[in-house]
């Protein structure tokens, strides 16, 4: 059974940093696409950053502040978040896809508040 497990969320002040991790277990398949999404209260889930193969892509709202990376040996994808803003507050989800199959993690809460 494939599982994606996120970790690293928490409560931070504006301007601080967090690093999210998402580890895939139960599979040796390398996902074609791994991405991070977020959902704030009352809003739709949105794409934050994705990695297609080794190429990163970012939402305009996070470009220059967030960095996505992956470790294929550990089957893990990371999201380094710097210069966090209150509007980054959301539940962050990891997604992995291979072929027509996609998998989601359970989410990790990120709260940016003074």
């Amino acid at each position: 059974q494939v599982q994606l497990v996120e970790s690293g969320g928490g409560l931070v002040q504006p301007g601080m940093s967090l690093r999210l991790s998402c580890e895939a277990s139960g599979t040796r398949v390398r996902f074609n696409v791994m991405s991070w999404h977020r959902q704030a209260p009352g809003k739709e889930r949105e794409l934050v950053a994705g990695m297609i193969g080794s190429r990163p892509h970012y939402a305009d709202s996070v470009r220059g502040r967030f960095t996505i990376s992956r470790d294929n040996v550990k089957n893990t994808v990371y999201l380094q978040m710097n210069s966090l803003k209150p509007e980054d507050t959301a539940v962050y989800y990891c997604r992995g896809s291979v072929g027509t199959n996609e998998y989601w993690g359970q989410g990790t809460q990120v709260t940016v508040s003074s």
Side-chain angles (χ1 to χ4, degrees), residues 1-57:
Q1 181 179 0
V2 178
Q3 282 190 313
L4 297 178
V5 180
E6 302 101 333
S7 61
L11 171 63
V12 296
Q13 294 182 341
M16 296 186 69
S17 299
L18 278 175
R19 188 192 193 205
L20 305 183
S21 299
C22 171
E23 182 177 3
S25 62
T27 180
R28 294 182 178 180
V29 172
R30 178 180 172 180
F31 295 109
N32 299 123
V33 180
M34 294 200 79
S35 54
W36 287 96
H37 304 250
R38 67 186 180 188
Q39 188 166 18
K43 294 187 177 181
E44 294 186 354
R45 190 173 298 188
E46 63 175 355
L47 174 66
V48 174
M51 183 162 270
I52 303 174
S54 60
R55 296 181 300 166
H57 301 270

Side-chain angles (χ1 to χ4, degrees), residues 10-16 84-89 110-114:
L11 171 63
V12 296
Q13 294 182 341
M16 296 186 69
L84 282 161
K85 304 176 181 180
E87 51 263 45
D88 294 319
T89 295
V110 172
T111 303
V112 185
S113 175
S114 55

